[in-house]
Amino acid sequence: MIQLTRRHLLTAAGAAAVAAGLSACSDDGEGSTEGLDGKRAGAMEGFKAGDQFKATEPLSFSIMMLSNQAYPYKADWPFFKELTARTNVTLESTAVPGSDYNQKRSVVVSAGDAPMIIPKTYHPDEEAFIAGGAILPVSDYVDLMPHFKDKVARWNLQANLDGFKAEDGKYYLLPGLHENTWQDYSLAVRTDVMEKLKLTAPTTWDDLTGVLREMKKAYPDQYPLSDRWSTPPQPGANNLFNLVGTSYGTRAGWGWNPMEWDATAARFVYSGSMDQYRQTLEYVHNLVKEGLLDPESFTQTDDVARQKFATGKSFVMSCNAQTLVNEARKDIAKLPGAKVAKMILPIGPAGATLPGHTRLENGIMISKKALESKNFVAMMQFIDWLWYSDAGLMFSKWGIEGQTYTGKVDDGSFKLDPGIKWAGLNPDATKDLQVDYGFFNGVFAYGGSTAMLNSQFSEEEKAFQAEMNKREIRPVAPPAPLTIEEREQVTLWDSALKDHVFQNTLKFALGQRPLSEWDAYVKELEGKNATKYVDIVNKAYERYKKAHG
């Protein structure tokens, strides 16, 4: 979340192996608290939803801590001191720079050297560690987590969680939970240029093309759209492909997933060969062909993209709520009269819809060795309170009532202390909620109610969210967990397929390969076993449906 991009690429992996001595579970793989004798030291008796967790003795838990470049890790953040005061828990952090996080996580988890708590993991990355038994099937232990269970039930999230299940019917990642679907990423546009050219805000992607054409007419030597978030260079994987692909009803760019659920046909299809994927590429290619989209958008660094925007060489660029305020507005501050706003996400052929899978966030893996601890139950209660209780979420996001904020989110009286800034709130304050205090850290602060989500937004962003909330939510894909043998097989195919899709995505977009060769490209995917891949996934879907309903 925040500064980390969401490149959720399929991780090649093995399927689940159940470690000896794990607790029994119910038919649907959801938790049981049996078999935990000797592992309850420090735990609270009768811990239930709404309770403040506080260990009955001082405890410490190891955690892998992503150090965000925008707010680098500090051991002396007030967040940690107050967390210990409230919970009697001290976190022993292994801090890792964001650029190295995924690689470091893979190495230490696979080697069995990971900390007990491993957050900031995007599904399906956890699947890489299931077969080796390095992580726990967390669904076995959700009965220890009353806040998590309460939100799943009240917010009707079980179908979303089902999509995380492995072939054994269990899931191995505790995701952040959102009450509703929400859309953060869109495009930032220079509204002063729009006003000067008498242009109206685009409703559809075709409308956006028209806006860019008018900008090009007025500034023929410039590219109206020069985008960011394409580095480190990864052909075909960026935010623009994701935004357009979502609007066309497929997975592309950051949102890439090799399998897309076709609800009409009730089967999975290969995303990179869908006609909707071709339409996505055609749209982006036409922007490049007409000189409306800078072809360097797919390779340039963020600094270069921001510099073009800051100097008036471009007028449109990807953004989210925070980068709009923290970066784009600051970048154009020296341009007289320059203004920028986040565009309402344009509508494409998929209609005014959003994908349902965005209700689950990145989440937490639990190291197998955590189960060896006499404090295991207390650790699960601690995780439940900090990541899933309203009080824990309020603390991790906003800090300490009376010190960093006042009021409540549920009655709209919440106010961040005027001496502290965060994103668009109190931009002239001298203290930063993340940098100086350690709150609103992406390792801890994600998910929550819509009211809590709205508490972080300016009135401008609330208006954006209100428009997004009017859109229909598309159904989530059903579970299709693979066996160990099936996963080993598709692992052999996936990397080559993905590379071919991404390389040709960029070639088609830039015009280096004509779209008249689309059928040939699809046959190339078939030659790389895309059809066999889809058949295996659909077979797994049918098998799971028969076994679990």
Side-chain angles (χ1 to χ4, degrees), residues 219-279:
Y219 303 90
D221 296 330
Q222 299 177 204
Y223 293 106
L225 170 54
S226 186
D227 212 14
R228 62 181 306 185
W229 289 331
S230 293
T231 53
Q234 195 166 31
N238 66 5
N239 184 50
L240 183 61
F241 282 122
N242 178 41
L243 295 179
V244 180
T246 294
S247 301
Y248 276 78
T250 189
R251 302 285 192 97
W254 289 359
W256 169 256
N257 189 307
M259 295 296 133
E260 176 70 357
W261 175 247
D262 184 335
T264 301
R267 66 187 307 273
F268 287 91
V269 296
Y270 194 74
S271 300
S273 59
M274 296 174 68
D275 191 58
Q276 292 91 329
Y277 200 94
R278 182 194 61 77
Q279 293 173 24

Side-chain angles (χ1 to χ4, degrees), residues 250-306:
T250 189
R251 302 285 192 97
W254 289 359
W256 169 256
N257 189 307
M259 295 296 133
E260 176 70 357
W261 175 247
D262 184 335
T264 301
R267 66 187 307 273
F268 287 91
V269 296
Y270 194 74
S271 300
S273 59
M274 296 174 68
D275 191 58
Q276 292 91 329
Y277 200 94
R278 182 194 61 77
Q279 293 173 24
T280 297
L281 300 186
E282 184 175 30
Y283 179 83
V284 176
H285 167 65
N286 285 337
L287 296 183
V288 173
K289 183 175 67 174
E290 293 188 38
L292 309 179
L293 171 62
D294 185 354
E296 294 182 357
S297 294
F298 309 106
T299 54
Q300 65 190 357
T301 66
D302 277 11
D303 287 344
V304 170
R306 288 177 60 186

Side-chain angles (χ1 to χ4, degrees), residues 181-183 185 203 205 242-250 260 276 344-358 467-475:
T181 296
W182 71 290
Q183 176 72 33
Y185 290 80
T203 300
W205 287 98
N242 178 41
L243 295 179
V244 180
T246 294
S247 301
Y248 276 78
T250 189
E260 176 70 357
Q276 292 91 329
I344 299 297
L345 185 66
I347 296 170
T353 63
L354 291 173
H357 60 262
T358 58
E467 287 300 314
M468 293 295 97
N469 289 340
K470 295 176 183 177
R471 301 196 176 181
E472 181 182 351
I473 306 305
R474 301 202 291 268

Side-chain angles (χ1 to χ4, degrees), residues 333-392:
K334 294 182 180 180
L335 295 176
K339 297 183 295 183
V340 60
K342 186 161 77 165
M343 185 187 304
I344 299 297
L345 185 66
I347 296 170
T353 63
L354 291 173
H357 60 262
T358 58
R359 293 184 68 197
L360 300 185
E361 263 273 17
N362 68 84
I364 304 161
M365 297 187 296
I366 305 297
S367 171
K368 177 186 174 182
K369 70 181 181 182
L371 190 60
E372 302 169 3
S373 170
K374 65 179 182 179
N375 306 125
F376 176 75
V377 172
M379 186 194 73
M380 297 304 292
Q381 291 178 346
F382 168 76
I383 291 171
D384 181 60
W385 179 81
L386 181 57
W387 273 275
Y388 299 104
S389 75
D390 290 344

Side-chain angles (χ1 to χ4, degrees), residues 64-67 94 96-106 118-121 443:
M64 192 165 177
M65 185 80 188
L66 183 145
S67 182
T94 299
V96 181
S99 58
D100 300 327
Y101 190 79
N102 287 354
Q103 181 179 2
K104 176 71 171 179
R105 181 189 62 203
S106 179
I118 313 161
K120 210 64 186 176
T121 299
V443 171

